Amino acid sequence: MISPVVVALVLSASPGDLQVSHRRVNAPDGVALAVYRYQRPGVVSSLPPVVLVPDVGFSRAAWDFEGRGLARWLSATGRLVYVVELRGQGKAGPGLALTPMVTVDLPSVLDALKLERIDLVVHGWVGSLVLAVHGQSARIRRVVALNTPLFAAPPSALATAFLADGGRFSTLASSPSGARTFHELFALWAELPSGTEQAFLSTGTRDLSRPVAAELLAWMNTGDRPLGGQSVSARLAALDRPTLLLLGLADGFAPPEQCAVLRERAPGPVELHTFSRAEGGEDFSHLSMLLGREAPKKVFPRIGAFLGEAAP
């Protein structure tokens, strides 16, 4: 039995302005999940709500940081937007395993909000799990996937050390060497507004639990992981929702070469676009794909146009 609790926290409520409200949803096992709704009063879109899910260790700040991000950008186009923090993310309860985030938490949120039809935007490794479990759901109209691996590969020495130490972002934030590790993994070559990288590391991330860090590291090292009697890659190969796959070439945490094969494997259809400085932009990293200076000009319009299309 799901027990949703409305927190009724409205951050902006002036007529005609963006309203951001926070709601808590309790999953069936009692873990508290956090949901943020972005809505402009009086603006009604004929398109379904958009649900945004951040990657492991990231929070709502991935989609809305210091007044900018995809959540606010999409709401400005008239869409109703929900940002979901699953167990272990942001203000949600503790997470000791990856699978319940997508098999328990996300369905709990959609049921509590009575969302029968949605567009979905996912990011990184959590995004891969979401699509592996829900990639054939009639509830989902369209999908945008940002650096979501189909196959894993042995991680870099930096990623290995970070996850072997428990995935503690707080440790990275406490020293210059830790900040360099964060930069190499999540913000390489990023063109971010001044101060964004350090501020996001300090306030927009959350330490992984040691079991989740170990699980993620094992997934990367073995190349795949079991999920509901199948493997993640086998489930992703059955993804049949129209999908826009966006890849940042400088992503050191979810490398693009592990993601691009989704276009060949999944029936989708999957539309693939990579970003490169050779094309007049930037390569984009795990973080700058979301919060970089060029994201509102290069990334967000592609997402908006794709999600604005009618279903095939």
Side-chain angles (χ1 to χ4, degrees):
M1 179 69 179
I2 300 170
S3 176
V5 178
V6 179
V7 177
L9 172 63
V10 178
L11 305 179
S12 173
S14 301
D17 288 343
L18 173 65
Q19 289 185 346
V20 183
S21 58
H22 171 220
R23 174 175 179 166
R24 189 182 76 195
V25 173
N26 289 336
D29 58 359
V31 176
L33 314 171
V35 183
Y36 300 84
R37 184 183 67 188
Y38 293 72
Q39 185 174 35
R40 295 191 178 276
V43 178
V44 180
S45 173
S46 60
L47 295 169
V50 184
V51 175
L52 310 180
V53 183
D55 197 10
V56 63
F58 281 17
S59 68
R60 173 174 72 115
W63 311 112
D64 178 16
F65 187 69
E66 296 180 341
R68 65 185 189 276
L70 183 61
R72 291 177 183 268
W73 191 94
L74 285 172
S75 68
T77 70
R79 300 298 292 268
L80 174 60
V81 176
Y82 291 95
V83 175
V84 179
E85 291 177 336
L86 308 174
R87 66 186 66 202
Q89 296 179 319
K91 296 186 181 301
L96 300 178
L98 288 169
T99 299
M101 298 174 74
V102 296
T103 59
V104 177
D105 297 354
L106 187 58
S108 296
V109 168
L110 300 183
D111 289 344
L113 298 176
K114 296 182 172 57
L115 297 178
E116 299 299 327
R117 190 75 161 157
I118 64 168
D119 285 340
L120 184 63
V121 182
V122 295
H123 184 217
W125 297 94
V126 168
S128 295
L129 291 176
V130 170
L131 298 184
V133 172
H134 303 285
Q136 295 176 283
S137 172
R139 200 172 204 169
I140 298 171
R141 188 187 74 112
R142 284 180 168 258
V143 169
V144 176
L146 307 175
N147 278 77
T148 51
L150 175 68
F151 290 111
S156 67
L158 281 178
T160 297
F162 170 63
L163 293 173
D165 190 44
R168 294 183 295 168
F169 286 95
S170 59
T171 298
L172 300 186
S174 65
S175 70
S177 62
R180 286 194 296 273
T181 295
F182 181 81
H183 178 79
E184 293 288 330
L185 290 176
F186 300 98
L188 185 65
W189 299 331
E191 297 181 15
L192 293 160
S194 178
T196 297
E197 185 174 332
Q198 186 60 45
F200 184 88
L201 172 57
S202 298
T203 64
T205 61
R206 174 172 165 178
D207 288 352
L208 309 186
S209 67
R210 285 196 173 272
V212 164
E215 189 178 349
L216 184 55
L217 182 57
W219 180 7
M220 292 178 178
N221 277 319
T222 59
D224 210 343
R225 70 185 297 272
L227 184 63
Q230 294 180 280
S231 69
V232 169
S233 62
R235 282 176 166 267
L236 284 172
L239 170 69
D240 67 359
R241 302 292 88 188
T243 300
L244 175 64
L245 177 61
L246 299 179
L247 303 183
L249 297 183
D251 195 323
F253 192 64
E257 62 272 15
Q258 298 176 30
C259 310
V261 288
L262 183 65
R263 181 176 61 174
E264 284 72 43
R265 298 299 180 91
V270 179
E271 175 185 337
L272 171 65
H273 182 80
T274 59
F275 296 94
S276 169
R277 63 181 65 189
E279 299 174 351
E282 68 166 288
D283 291 346
F284 285 110
S285 65
H286 209 63
L287 182 61
S288 64
M289 177 84 82
L290 310 175
L291 298 174
R293 284 196 187 95
E294 294 292 308
K297 293 183 284 186
K298 303 288 187 180
V299 181
F300 298 173
R302 286 188 177 274
I303 295 173
F306 180 79
L307 295 182
E309 295 176 10

